[in-house]
Amino acid sequence: MASDQATTPPPPPPPEIQSHDLPKVIVLHPPPVFNYFKDLFSKKFHLLKAWESPLPRHEFLTNHAHSVQAMLCSGTGPPISADILRLLPSLRLVVTTSAGLNHIDLTECRNRGISIANAGEVFSEDVADLAVGLLIDVFRKISASDRYVRHGLWATKGDYPLGSKLGGKRIGIVGLGSIGFQVAKRLEAFGCNISYNSRKRKDFVSYPFYTNVCELAANSDVLIICCGLTEQTRHMINREVLLALGKEGVIVNIGRGAIIHEKELVQCLVQGEIGGAGLDVFENEPDVPKELFELDNVVLAPHMAVFTTESFKDLCDLMIGNLEAFFSKKPLLSLVMNE
Amino acid sequence: MDSITVLMTSPMSDYLETQLRDRFNLVKLWTYSSKTDFFKHNSHSIRAVVGNTKIGADAELIDSLPELEIVSSYSVGLDKIDLRKCQEKGIRVTNTPDVLTDDVADVAMGLMLAVTRRVCECDRFVRRGLWPKGNFRLTNKFSGMQVGIVGLDRIGSAIAKRAEAFGCPISYYSRSEKPETNYKYFSNIIDLAVNCQILVVACALTKETHHIINREVIDALGPEGILINIGRGSHIDEPELVSALLEGRLGGAGLDVFENEPEVPEQLFGLENVVLMPHVGSDTVETADAMADLVIKNLEAHFLKKPLLTPVV
């Protein structure tokens, strides 16, 4: 009996994506967005994934990245230092998945003429939403009273202690960029009074402007840290500022942990020198000072302000859009302007 | 006025208790071991009752106080007061509207953010030491979510104003349409539930609104939908809500009120998509004092034969 053989030849296998034809992008460490959308990047770019190589990083870069013009990085992973940049002589563009730039040697980039594109305003709303969520939680003890109920204490211990009214409180926003502005807009609807401190006065708002953050704190019930981390802002929120904020004062940080002097913040909270804190960022993530776990007037989040499906998808589109624009010599979508 | 005897029904506020004791002859219901004991000693002297959301003035209490002239409630909700009996007997009733509107609206917003962005779950995640093991997952974005409000009176309107600042489109179901707002009106609650992502209960509890959130409404809201209750526990069919959450037929819930406070269904304690608060909607230092002041002012106005500040009956 003749064996079953197809009379027509089998269809050819689908053509493999010739990845070496795609433009090269060096990635030292996978950004969080790769957990969800890596394939969207791999389809369009030849990703040189340093973290997957057995070679030490400097060897990998020397051997494989000499001609690479574009880098994709994030706030996680190694800082993009001058040393790393010097191993990439053809680099013209750094695309970061963060809004923050504190992990990039900006001076070296400026000297080399390397452009930087960041996350722009893609997750300003999500970060603002978390800032407001943390603030309401601290004022109205949402997480703390949720714990109380789940431990069965409402029935046995009675009513929960009173919280504090949000309306009429003076909010001091540190850094009135895209995120700070979205926070201000939201809190105005709660009847709060907004003031701010920023590198420069902003003409498009009529909120009172304070030239220094200590004065802002002295005239505020709440400080919300919305600025970037730079040499000027590192440990800007220290004991002096916290004491100026006062015993009833609340601080919310959705910027970078190192903007606040963390040891001094913990001390002020433990000693009751300030009223409470809502923190999404810390100096040595993922380590969080254990003393904070004992406190009911503190709400803690694991640097997740941008972790929404919508933000990640928008971010992915923006990063790919920037890289595509670069490789087709079009204007970048979210170029960071030197200030 | 310290010859006037006022009954306080439960220990609702130390500040209010002090104010009442300073001005009137204060009798505290909870210090009596039994109702009979209480009625034996006081029923003929009491001219005013100060009640709250736990113990108000029901028919039995009203009938047993022949000298009762006024019920001044330390709440805006009137569901614990037999209003019809008060009307029949010419007993005045006051409550505490407006002073607590902002606080309750703030809790509604806090619950919406806490449930959609998993704030309490994140706090637990960090405190349990889980962060070093890996990042938190992605949640849904809150800004721009469609918010549906049941009851667009003071509290409902205050919630709408806040949610608008987050770019949330607002729709509502109410006894009557409010054409002065720009919000989308639905004439039945099922249509509202179908057309929103977050449904907020902000209406008064009456016979008509008892269990207004039932299985049908929960199913219409759906497995991605979120239910927020800052009204009264009995607005929601609680067993239906619990099974919907356990079975994944409802996306999440933020609850400040329950049918049998302080009891809360224990099956909810293990769920990450719910946030549970112990009826603290108006519980801030500022508002508690403002409410107490309003109770006192209403009582003084009544006994000085002046117009009541916030009369209901």
Side-chain angles (χ1 to χ4, degrees):
Chain A
M1 188 176 297
S3 57
D4 277 342
Q5 276 202 4
T7 50
T8 52
E16 284 168 15
I17 295 173
Q18 300 296 324
S19 70
H20 58 256
D21 290 338
L22 296 173
K24 287 189 203 148
V25 178
I26 176 75
V27 188
L28 299 182
H29 185 84
V33 84
F34 268 21
N35 287 337
Y36 304 91
F37 297 115
K38 184 165 81 178
D39 290 348
L40 293 180
F41 288 85
S42 318
K43 280 204 187 78
K44 300 193 173 207
F45 310 106
H46 178 188
L47 300 174
L48 302 175
K49 299 175 214 152
W51 77 91
E52 283 183 355
S53 167
L55 294 175
R57 187 180 305 131
H58 68 272
E59 259 188 70
F60 179 85
L61 294 180
T62 311
N63 293 350
H64 297 285
H66 197 265
S67 62
V68 171
Q69 295 182 50
M71 168 187 280
L72 177 68
C73 69
S74 73
T76 61
I80 310 306
S81 61
D83 287 340
I84 286 181
L85 291 168
R86 281 184 207 126
L87 295 170
L88 296 161
S90 308
L91 196 68
R92 317 274 333 113
L93 171 68
V94 173
V95 176
T96 178
T97 62
S98 55
L101 305 168
N102 52 290
H103 54 295
I104 301 171
D105 189 327
L106 301 174
T107 312
E108 182 74 12
C109 286
R110 196 165 30 240
N111 293 341
R112 289 262 305 270
I114 295 171
S115 300
I116 301 174
N118 71 345
E121 303 194 347
V122 123
F123 31 66
S124 296
E125 288 184 326
D126 277 329
V127 179
D129 288 353
L130 185 72
V132 175
L134 288 171
L135 182 61
I136 302 178
D137 194 323
V138 175
F139 263 63
R140 301 304 302 275
K141 306 178 189 295
I142 299 182
S143 288
S145 65
D146 175 270
R147 269 197 292 280
Y148 188 78
V149 172
R150 284 175 198 252
H151 286 130
L153 298 174
W154 191 12
T156 54
K157 278 181 76 175
D159 285 343
Y160 198 70
L162 298 176
S164 181
K165 185 180 169 93
L166 193 53
K169 291 295 191 300
R170 302 163 301 166
I171 311 287
I173 299 190
V174 181
L176 202 72
S178 174
I179 294 171
F181 180 68
Q182 294 294 330
V183 172
K185 200 174 88 162
R186 281 151 176 72
L187 288 175
E188 278 194 290
F190 288 78
C192 295
N193 299 308
I194 313 291
S195 307
Y196 70 105
N197 161 251
S198 212
R199 274 173 303 191
K200 288 188 295 237
R201 189 187 286 268
K202 310 275 174 177
D203 292 326
F204 60 88
V205 296
S206 55
Y207 309 136
F209 172 71
Y210 285 86
T211 48
N212 87 69
V213 80
C214 216
E215 241 195 281
L216 179 69
N219 289 282
S220 300
D221 303 302
V222 175
L223 278 186
I224 307 189
I225 312 304
C226 302
C227 58
L229 176 63
T230 65
E231 269 162 41
Q232 291 76 39
T233 64
R234 180 174 295 275
H235 285 188
M236 175 171 71
I237 310 298
N238 53 21
R239 184 174 166 80
E240 194 197 346
V241 174
L242 295 170
L243 292 180
L245 184 59
K247 286 189 160 36
E248 308 288 311
V250 170
I251 187 157
V252 171
N253 192 2
I254 45 78
R256 285 288 178 268
I259 296 169
I260 301 182
H261 192 305
E262 198 161 273
K263 275 206 176 62
E264 289 179 1
L265 171 67
V266 172
Q267 204 174 42
C268 283
L269 282 164
V270 166
Q271 291 169 353
E273 308 276 17
I274 64 167
L279 308 169
D280 186 44
V281 285
F282 303 86
E283 285 211 60
N284 292 307
E285 297 169 11
D287 292 333
V288 174
K290 300 283 181 294
E291 299 93 315
L292 299 180
F293 296 175
E294 310 295 316
L295 302 176
D296 265 352
N297 58 344
V298 170
V299 181
L300 308 166
H303 202 156
M304 44 65 88
V306 309
F307 277 44
T308 66
T309 344
E310 290 86 345
S311 263
F312 267 45
K313 183 60 173 53
D314 289 347
L315 183 65
C316 184
D317 291 345
L318 182 62
M319 298 298 103
I320 290 174
N322 273 304
L323 289 166
E324 285 184 320
F326 172 73
F327 288 119
S328 42
K329 298 191 183 357
K330 295 203 176 107
L332 296 175
L333 304 181
S334 50
L335 173 69
V336 174
M337 304 304 286
N338 289 326
E339 282 180 25
Chain B
M1 292 186 209
D2 48 1
S3 60
I4 298 172
T5 306
V6 174
L7 172 70
M8 201 177 179
T9 63
S10 69
M12 56 198 82
S13 154
D14 289 344
Y15 170 71
L16 178 56
E17 203 178 307
T18 312
Q19 296 294 318
L20 288 170
R21 200 182 46 233
D22 287 348
R23 288 168 169 68
F24 304 102
N25 177 32
L26 178 63
V27 170
K28 299 188 286 201
L29 182 59
W30 66 96
T31 58
Y32 291 84
S33 48
S34 70
K35 265 195 200 155
T36 351
D37 192 33
F38 162 73
F39 288 136
K40 198 160 54 148
H41 286 105
N42 295 289
S43 41
H44 286 273
S45 51
I46 289 170
R47 292 171 64 187
V49 166
V50 172
N52 70 343
T53 55
K54 292 197 182 82
I55 305 177
D58 59 9
E60 190 198 6
L61 184 68
I62 296 168
D63 280 336
S64 62
L65 303 176
E67 303 304 316
L68 183 61
E69 298 170 27
I70 179 168
V71 175
S72 187
S73 191
Y74 182 75
S75 71
V76 70
L78 301 161
D79 43 291
K80 287 281 162 67
I81 300 174
D82 192 326
L83 294 172
R84 199 155 56 107
K85 191 158 270 277
C86 288
Q87 209 144 28
E88 279 164 13
K89 294 190 146 201
I91 296 168
R92 307 302 308 275
V93 178
T94 67
N95 64 349
T96 60
D98 296 324
V99 292
L100 50 66
T101 301
D102 287 338
D103 275 351
V104 178
D106 292 349
V107 164
M109 295 306 300
L111 285 169
M112 283 189 235
L113 285 160
V115 176
T116 52
R117 298 298 304 274
R118 300 301 174 99
V119 178
C120 307
E121 191 187 345
C122 277
D123 181 82
R124 279 192 286 277
F125 181 83
V126 175
R127 284 171 194 258
R128 283 180 192 155
L130 296 175
W131 194 6
K133 303 194 174 122
N135 277 334
F136 199 71
R137 57 188 165 62
L138 301 183
T139 67
N140 289 325
K141 180 175 177 138
F142 172 70
S143 277
M145 272 190 159
Q146 295 163 312
V147 173
I149 304 178
V150 182
L152 205 70
D153 292 319
R154 297 175 202 94
I155 294 173
S157 300
I159 294 170
K161 180 172 150 210
R162 284 153 175 73
E164 276 191 300
F166 293 78
C168 296
I170 308 293
S171 49
Y172 68 103
Y173 163 71
S174 207
R175 275 171 303 189
S176 56
E177 193 169 354
K178 322 256 173 183
E180 66 277 14
T181 72
N182 284 328
Y183 310 139
K184 185 168 168 62
Y185 174 67
F186 286 96
S187 56
N188 80 76
I189 195 171
I190 299 292
D191 287 347
L192 178 69
V194 166
N195 286 285
C196 71
Q197 295 166 285
I198 303 179
L199 186 65
V200 187
V201 182
C203 56
L205 181 66
T206 62
K207 274 203 276 286
E208 293 76 36
T209 62
H210 183 266
H211 284 193
I212 192 173
I213 309 296
N214 54 18
R215 171 145 187 156
E216 216 192 330
V217 174
I218 291 171
D219 285 345
L221 190 49
E224 308 290 312
I226 292 169
L227 181 62
I228 305 290
N229 192 3
I230 45 80
R232 287 288 179 268
S234 300
H235 277 127
I236 300 179
D237 183 334
E238 204 161 270
E240 282 293 345
L241 173 65
V242 173
S243 46
L245 285 164
L246 291 174
E247 291 164 26
R249 287 184 286 111
L250 181 64
L255 309 167
D256 185 42
V257 286
F258 303 87
E259 287 211 84
N260 291 308
E261 294 168 16
E263 284 161 28
V264 175
E266 281 182 22
Q267 306 100 306
L268 299 179
F269 293 177
L271 299 179
E272 294 289 11
N273 59 342
V274 303
V275 175
L276 310 166
M277 295 179 77
H279 202 156
V280 291
S282 59
D283 283 9
T284 66
V285 171
E286 294 90 336
T287 293
D289 287 354
M291 286 166 67
D293 288 342
L294 196 47
V295 167
I296 298 289
K297 286 197 170 89
N298 273 303
L299 289 175
E300 287 183 332
H302 171 76
F303 290 113
L304 292 172
K305 298 188 175 7
K306 294 203 171 109
L308 299 179
L309 283 79
T310 48
V312 175
V313 171

